[in-house]
Structures are given as structure tokens and as C-alpha cells.
Amino acid sequence: MSTATAASPTPVTTSDPEATEPETTEESAAAAQAIRRVGVVGCGVMGAGLAEVCARAGLDVLVTSSGEDGLARGRGRLERSLAHAVRKGRISDTARDETLARVSFTTDLAAFRDRQLVLEAAPEDEPTKLRIFQALDRVVKDPEAILATNTSALPVMRLARATDRPGQVLGLHFFNPAPVLPLVEVIGSLLTRDRTRRIAAEFVTAVLGKQVVHAGDRSGFVVNALLIPYLLSAIRMCEAGFAGAEDIDKAMTLGCSHPMGPLALADLIGLDTVAAIGTALYEEFKEPTHAVPPLLSRMVDGGLLGRKSGQGFYAY
């Protein structure tokens, strides 16, 4: 009696199928240093912050938005942020002027054809982001160009599949305010090439001067998977009348040495963004702690978005 031996299944791998041998650290570093032309899609709070980070690093930055009004607001955000940096003594007047000179603005995404790295910072809306990645795939000519999303919670895989170059797509999740906070989460999907991940991480650290953590492609990644349930819990506590916003925040700053209370932090992030991340987490994991509280939904419906609207849990 004979027995048949089943073939061993091939494991899923994220290694670069095009590489004949591993790229050295020196080669990855050289490829990262060669990135000099960066595109930023969106010039809201995060988009303007990403443009500033890249321009202060000496890069040629091109920013796009859907309309002239959005570009004007983005330019204003950039100018105010740089003026604040001058007042704080972080940069000189000369450095401010040189940084501004490195940033150009356009409403035509076709102008991104020569970009080596594109950072997408559009609102946290999956259909919008999918359209952007489909367009970038058509426009950006360099087949080795990296297309990165700054999404807080959406799966990178879905955005990568909107392109014909999924191996060049990954997440680079910066934190607000981007010019100040040092962390960037590097998120590769199952389709992201190892080489793309290495170059992106080297670019973030060596060129932009940030620090990285590597995270898997699951909703919320590391930081928001831990942070958002905490923020939503604080909102529920406020909603139930168990404690007021100021007392909740005071309890966490003075009792736990947090630099900012959860409701003030939610205002800083943007209540619409907190709600969008919570929704994405709930859709993926179906955990009750991820469900958006009715109070947060009503505040977003009413345009009470936190600092960026002038009113949230606090008035600004």
C-alpha cells in the first residue's frame, strides 16, 4: 500500500520577486538620498505639514489640491507654520524663505509626472483615495517612484490594488503636527516590495530626520489601534455625564502624566478624523470599543471638528 505525499504549500512572502540578490544597506541609502522631487496630494493640515517637512529637508516639493481656494489655504498654513518656527527660534528668516521657495502649488495632478515620491494626504475617505492612486498610477512616469499614503486607518492593500504597481505602494503615516512630531509609521501591504520598504524607511530617517516604527497592514496600525479606543472611551464618559471634558482631561494629565488630555487631543486630531478612524477600525474588527459614540457623530454632523473649525470639546 503506497501513500502519496502532498506538495508543501508555498508560503506568502513579501520579498521582492524582481531582485536576484538582497539589496545592501548602502544601496538602499543611496536610493533614498536620490529622492529629490516629492509630490504632496492635499494641502489641509497634514498636507501642508508634509510639504513643510520635505521642503525644510531641502527637497523640491509640489503640492496639489482640487481647487485654487484649497491651495491658498494650504499656502497660508505653510507660511504661518514657518513664521511660528522663526518666532520660536527653530529656523532663521533665511531658512524660512528658502523653504518657501522650494514649494510649488498646482491644481493639475499631471504636473506630478516627474515626482520620485508622492505622499497622499487627502481626507480619510476611501473612494477619494482610490481615485487619487488610480490617477497617480497613470501620471507618475518613473516605474520606481514610491506612492505613499498618509492614511490613519484604511488598508494599504486596497489602495495598492488601485494601481498597476502595488509593489511601489505603502503607508507612511506621519503625525500632526508633522513638522514637530518625530514618528512615522511605515506600513507595507502583502504586495509591497521589500526594496520599497527599505528605501522609504531610509528616506524618512536619513533625509527627513524622523524616526520610524514598522507596522502590519491592519486598520489603525500601531498608534491608532491603541489610541482611538482610548479617545472614544473618554468621549463616551463625557457623553454619559460621568465627568465633564475639563475634568476628564485634567484627570489624565495630572493623574497619568499625559501631556494632553484625551478630549483636547481629539480636538487637535480633528473630530471628523477620529470618527473616520473609529469607523474603519469597527468595520475591520467589529469591536464595541471601536464604535463611534452618538455624541461624536452629532458633533461631526454639526461641523464641530475641533481646532480646525474653532469649536469641538473646547472653543478655540
Side-chain angles (χ1 to χ4, degrees):
M1 179 176 177
S2 63
T3 59
T5 302
S8 299
T10 302
V12 174
T13 177
T14 58
S15 62
D16 183 354
E18 299 177 18
T20 57
E21 59 183 57
E23 187 175 62
T24 66
T25 301
E26 291 76 13
E27 288 170 333
S28 296
Q33 291 290 342
I35 296 174
R36 309 307 300 168
R37 299 183 301 280
V38 176
V40 178
V41 180
C43 54
V45 173
M46 282 307 303
L50 296 181
E52 179 179 342
V53 168
C54 293
R56 284 174 65 171
L59 304 174
D60 170 3
V61 182
L62 182 59
V63 182
T64 187
S65 183
S66 57
E68 293 291 346
D69 289 345
L71 290 181
R73 289 192 296 271
R75 186 183 291 107
R77 289 186 183 97
L78 176 60
E79 291 172 349
R80 289 191 296 273
S81 179
L82 290 171
H84 180 73
V86 170
R87 288 195 301 271
K88 290 292 185 179
R90 296 176 185 145
I91 61 174
S92 65
D93 288 334
T94 300
R96 175 200 58 202
D97 294 342
E98 291 174 346
T99 298
L100 285 170
R102 295 187 190 106
V103 183
S104 302
F105 296 85
T106 182
T107 57
D108 185 7
L109 196 63
F112 277 43
R113 63 179 64 87
D114 69 339
R115 298 294 99 176
Q116 298 165 288
L117 167 68
V118 179
L119 300 170
E120 172 271 314
E124 201 75 353
D125 176 69
E126 185 171 338
T128 298
K129 290 181 184 289
L130 288 171
R131 287 194 297 271
I132 289 169
F133 274 85
Q134 289 167 350
L136 288 173
D137 190 40
R138 294 192 301 268
V139 165
V140 178
K141 299 304 180 185
D142 184 354
E144 293 300 308
I146 295 173
L147 307 181
T149 176
N150 189 60
T151 181
S152 301
L154 296 175
V156 175
M157 176 75 83
R158 294 181 192 166
L159 303 180
R161 289 296 303 276
T163 76
D164 289 330
R165 56 178 103 188
Q168 297 300 109
V169 178
L170 82 169
L172 291 180
H173 182 215
F174 292 72
F175 292 82
N176 183 35
V180 177
L181 294 185
L183 182 67
V184 178
E185 290 179 309
V186 178
I187 308 105
S189 78
L190 292 174
L191 301 177
T192 303
R193 295 167 61 187
D194 286 345
R195 181 176 187 271
T196 302
R197 264 190 289 259
R198 290 193 298 269
I199 293 172
E202 183 69 23
F203 174 81
V204 167
T205 54
V207 178
L208 300 185
K210 301 289 189 180
Q211 298 183 44
V212 305
V213 294
H214 293 269
D217 185 18
R218 47 160 278 169
S219 187
F221 316 128
V222 174
V223 173
N224 282 321
L226 297 172
L227 175 64
I228 295 301
Y230 161 64
L231 299 184
L232 296 179
S233 179
I235 294 170
R236 289 190 193 94
M237 182 176 286
C238 182
E239 180 179 50
F242 187 81
E246 292 183 1
D247 285 334
I248 292 170
D249 283 353
K250 186 176 182 180
M252 297 309 294
T253 55
L254 300 184
C256 295
S257 295
H258 288 197
M260 182 179 290
L263 300 177
L265 178 56
D267 275 356
L268 176 62
I269 294 169
L271 299 186
D272 53 340
T273 301
V274 172
I277 299 170
T279 298
L281 287 166
Y282 186 77
E283 287 178 354
E284 180 149 340
F285 301 111
K286 301 299 187 290
E287 294 285 347
T289 53
H290 298 146
V292 174
L295 174 61
L296 178 57
S297 297
R298 296 300 175 270
M299 293 178 75
V300 172
D301 290 343
L304 306 176
L305 308 181
R307 284 181 181 266
K308 60 186 172 184
S309 71
Q311 179 69 53
F313 287 98
Y314 299 91
Y316 302 93

